[in-house]
Amino acid sequence: MTGLRWGILATGGIATAFASDLRAAGLDLVAVGSRSQESADAFAARFGIPRAHGSYAGLAEDPDVDIIYVATPHPMHHEDARLALQNGKHVLVEKAFTVNRAEAEDLQSLAAEKGLLAMEAMWTRYLPHMIRVREIIAEGTLGEIRSVSAEHTQNLPTDPAHRLNDLALGGGALLDLGIYPISFIWDVLGEPVDITATGRLLETGADAEVATIMTHAGGVISTSLSSSRAAGPSAAVVLGTEARIEVGPFFLAPCAVRVIAPDGTVIEEFDGSMKDGEGRGMHYQALAAERAVAAGDTDGSQLALPTAESVAIMGTLDEVRRQIGVVYPSES
């Protein structure tokens, strides 16, 4: 622990999960901010948080808070993270970082100007099983990597008014689900040199399914699939000439990693699941943020997901949306 004092901005489901893991990890959670005092008070009481603010501004201006976790819907990330940064707070912004690259670049620029950390809360990058995946690749066990595939599919609420189907709230499969496989592909292969995307849109204009085929340096091919209307295994595979890595059954959360030879022999099995009492695993990203601040890495260049890469990934999502015809109201 570096002694950073955490505040949480918003009190929804993802904020609840994050607060639970901060408490399980013994990190210093000191304040919460909500749009209503009643909601802030209830959240604070649930997690033993000493200060509850009935506005986001109140949290941002709290002198006893060092870093704020932004847990609002996607279109509010930019404004809410900006508020925190302008008040001298580091930010851990729930994925997707923003709704587009322009907003992400603005946060990166403001954080640099203030000497603060602006970090995307892509928790998967910091989980033990993903650390092992990167080690296996670096060790050369796979030989030459030829393809990466990843998917994230869930059967989510169909109500048109639900946040997940409301374009005004950044609804659709891409920002909630597709960000995971696309970020995984970036983690393994880096930036694509060519992107082809297709998708199916709902009556609300939000995307229900999105698939991508991308080409990377050396001609390596990646594929991704996200769907909010059907649940599949949500696994990921890195295919090499000497072996493959299978990550799953739910690759984005703590899970197992298997390294398998072409003849089917299991070379390695790594159990990255969480043990009883360890929480969900969201605290790993919080610890990474604390280490970055302690090391003076406020540009986030040494993170498992560098801030500059979060910005570039938003550019990839922009191109995917351009091809499938999705524009958020906040952009117009």
Side-chain angles (χ1 to χ4, degrees), residues 72-79 98-99 103 167-171 328 330:
T72 45
H74 310 301
M76 292 76 173
H77 288 179
H78 177 243
E79 177 183 354
T98 53
V99 298
E103 289 185 353
L167 268 187
L169 294 177
Y328 302 116
S330 62

Side-chain angles (χ1 to χ4, degrees), residues 228-289:
S228 62
R229 289 294 179 269
S234 292
V237 177
V238 182
L239 185 61
T241 54
E242 301 299 324
R244 70 182 183 271
I245 298 175
E246 295 182 352
V247 190
F250 196 61
F251 85 89
L252 52 141
C255 66
V257 173
R258 300 174 77 223
V259 183
I260 303 172
D263 64 2
T265 302
V266 177
I267 299 171
E268 177 184 340
E269 289 188 87
F270 176 84
D271 181 10
S273 60
M274 303 297 294
K275 306 301 184 291
D276 289 344
E278 289 183 341
R280 185 175 183 233
M282 296 186 75
H283 64 288
Y284 287 112
Q285 62 187 344
L287 291 168

Side-chain angles (χ1 to χ4, degrees), residues 6-8 19 23 29-33 40-53:
W6 285 85
I8 295 181
R23 281 289 182 242
L29 176 54
V30 302
V32 61
D41 288 342
F43 193 93
R46 179 175 179 180
F47 292 105
I49 301 171
R51 285 184 302 287
H53 299 278

Side-chain angles (χ1 to χ4, degrees), residues 16 59 114 124 142 150 163 196 239 291:
T16 297
L59 174 64
K114 298 284 189 180
T124 304
L142 305 188
R163 176 189 72 80
T196 300
L239 185 61
R291 288 193 297 269

Side-chain angles (χ1 to χ4, degrees), residues 164-180:
L164 293 165
N165 304 311
D166 185 350
L167 268 187
L169 294 177
L174 187 64
L175 292 191
D176 266 280
L177 308 179
I179 180 66
Y180 284 103

Side-chain angles (χ1 to χ4, degrees), residues 8-21:
I8 295 181
L9 191 151
T11 56
I14 196 68
T16 297
F18 186 73
S20 296
D21 277 6

